[in-house]
Amino acid sequence: MSQNLVFNHHSLPYQHAAQAKEDIAEFLKIAIRCRTFGYDAILLDEEIDQSWYGLELAKDYFLRDWFVQANQDPQQKDLVRAFRSIATRQPLFDADELKQSTELDAGLAGEDQSSIALLASFYFEAFLLSFPSQKKWTKPELAIWIKKLDEESGEIEQASAELKNIFSIASLSNHELNLKTIRDQKLQTANDILQRRQSLFPCIEFLDSFSSDLRRGGFRADILDKSKDALLVLNQFCDDWKEEKFSEYRHEYLRDSGLNMEVSGESSTVADDPKLRSQREYRLPSGTKVYCENHIKLPAGFRMHFYPDTTNKKIYIAYLGPHLKLK
């Protein structure tokens, strides 16, 4: 499947602005959450304002109106900033794609109206991102009709199909297994982790030392798989931390977030020994040197060391490699 989402502009407008206002924050959170599955771009119809400001949600009520209000609230402001950092692509089809496609038209089953966003979702095998403005858009699978050109006969044929539709946090959870499978197919090597760190791990930060460890490579497959799983959990924890689902960093909160590996700090023997402690000290981007005692235990004695920044609710990943010296 495509690693782009297709925005379903046919799911707008709402009948009333008040209803749209209730759903906007969740829509933004869905788009942001999809980044953790590798979906770092949204395909838009060419008639949609690429900045999103001009998107009309209801009669005379635009997304920019909600943005203006949201920017008065620090949490909502961060939400807007994160959403607007997601790349957009227009038009839905470029010239070459139009030439190659044998799919000519699409629409919801039981309706005659053509819907280019549905056609794009089918063509790219991409998830559809909809507003729950009407009951017909609140289904995780949408039944559609597709008109195709039979290249041999030259005749137009109609077929049925289903599209995967995301319209709420609950529907996102419904598709989570599929989303994870697609994501994991894109994370096969250490270089994949590096290349996709911005989209898949937006809530944590790789220190240069950790990036260098990944570039050196040579990790066994099981070590790399567990490292990927650990990074995803750390990212999810930080996302929830910022959402105030957690009040502080604790090892047990990582387990609550899905970590199935042992995590701990260092003993006082290590902390009190200047030489051993220095092996676990790293500089943050600010230049501050921190003690990265917290670590996740990986196969073959490998460790992933990290530092939780309690002020900014962020985790810095510092080291991936063999167990550091204890003597």
Side-chain angles (χ1 to χ4, degrees):
M1 292 187 74
S2 168
Q3 285 296 103
N4 296 318
L5 299 169
V6 173
F7 173 57
N8 180 17
H9 59 284
H10 307 296
S11 63
L12 292 174
Y14 280 84
Q15 188 172 359
H16 302 290
Q19 185 185 0
K21 290 178 184 178
E22 291 180 1
D23 293 338
I24 295 170
E26 185 166 1
F27 177 85
L28 269 57
K29 288 177 182 178
I30 291 168
I32 295 165
R33 179 75 181 277
C34 282
R35 294 185 68 178
T36 65
F37 296 105
Y39 289 83
D40 49 10
I42 302 176
L43 302 185
L44 302 177
D45 183 69
E46 58 189 353
E47 295 182 0
I48 303 299
D49 179 5
Q50 197 167 8
S51 73
W52 296 101
Y53 281 106
L55 184 67
E56 189 171 21
L57 301 167
K59 183 175 174 57
D60 297 327
Y61 182 72
F62 296 83
L63 192 52
R64 64 171 172 263
D65 299 320
W66 190 87
F67 281 170
V68 169
Q69 289 184 320
N71 281 328
Q72 307 305 312
D73 181 307
Q75 282 192 327
Q76 298 281 48
K77 188 175 182 179
D78 288 342
L79 184 65
V80 172
R81 185 184 298 113
F83 174 74
R84 297 199 64 231
S85 71
I86 301 172
T88 55
R89 196 193 97 183
Q90 290 175 302
L92 290 171
F93 298 96
D94 62 30
D96 289 337
E97 289 163 346
L98 287 173
K99 288 179 183 178
Q100 295 170 7
S101 176
T102 58
E103 289 82 23
L104 305 176
D105 202 0
L108 278 178
E111 296 187 5
D112 295 329
Q113 184 177 352
S114 298
S115 302
I116 191 170
L118 304 188
L119 180 62
S121 177
F122 178 83
Y123 177 81
F124 293 113
E125 297 184 356
F127 280 88
L128 200 64
L129 182 61
S130 304
F131 276 98
S133 56
Q134 299 178 55
K135 187 176 181 179
K136 64 182 180 181
W137 302 121
T138 59
K139 299 176 182 178
E141 280 83 27
L142 296 178
I144 66 166
W145 52 262
I146 289 285
K147 288 184 179 179
K148 299 182 178 182
L149 175 65
D150 187 312
E151 294 182 296
E152 291 187 5
S153 67
E155 295 182 356
I156 296 176
E157 301 176 344
Q158 184 163 311
S160 299
E162 279 195 344
L163 302 178
K164 297 187 182 302
N165 181 43
I166 303 173
F167 59 90
S168 65
I169 295 295
S171 67
L172 179 62
S173 298
N174 185 74
H175 292 301
E176 190 164 345
L177 182 59
N178 198 349
L179 289 163
K180 285 181 177 178
T181 299
I182 297 167
R183 178 192 64 199
D184 290 346
Q185 290 171 351
K186 303 290 184 179
L187 283 179
Q188 299 295 319
T189 68
N191 189 56
D192 291 338
I193 294 174
L194 273 175
Q195 293 298 318
R196 292 180 171 270
R197 64 186 182 276
Q198 296 294 337
S199 59
L200 291 178
F201 313 109
C203 300
I204 60 179
E205 187 165 340
F206 295 1
L207 295 183
D208 289 343
S209 53
F210 179 72
S211 296
S212 296
D213 293 335
L214 287 176
R215 289 191 187 95
R216 276 195 292 271
F219 299 106
R220 277 178 14 188
D222 57 341
I223 295 172
L224 197 60
D225 283 345
K226 288 295 186 180
S227 298
K228 174 196 66 180
D229 292 344
L231 291 171
L232 290 167
V233 169
L234 290 169
N235 185 78
Q236 184 60 54
F237 165 75
C238 285
D239 190 22
D240 291 338
W241 195 6
K242 290 180 179 179
E243 290 286 326
E244 299 186 346
K245 294 179 183 178
F246 298 110
S247 59
E248 59 186 343
Y249 171 82
R250 291 185 185 178
H251 296 330
E252 55 263 37
Y253 290 161
L254 294 185
R255 289 186 277 272
D256 292 343
S257 299
L259 188 69
N260 58 4
M261 292 162 269
E262 189 176 346
V263 57
S264 66
E266 296 288 9
S267 66
S268 58
T269 304
V270 172
D272 296 338
D273 186 308
K275 184 176 180 180
L276 297 178
R277 183 185 178 95
S278 67
Q279 292 179 7
R280 294 154 174 83
E281 291 180 333
Y282 296 86
R283 290 195 182 277
L284 301 182
S286 64
T288 303
K289 183 182 286 188
V290 294
Y291 178 42
C292 300
E293 64 164 321
N294 296 304
H295 58 276
I296 295 171
K297 298 182 180 180
L298 304 170
F302 273 58
R303 299 290 186 267
M304 178 185 290
H305 282 256
F306 61 92
Y307 175 77
D309 179 350
T310 56
T311 301
N312 298 304
K313 298 182 179 179
K314 175 185 280 191
I315 286 179
Y316 293 91
I317 316 300
Y319 172 80
L320 176 63
H323 198 308
L324 295 171
K325 293 180 180 179
L326 295 174
K327 294 181 181 179

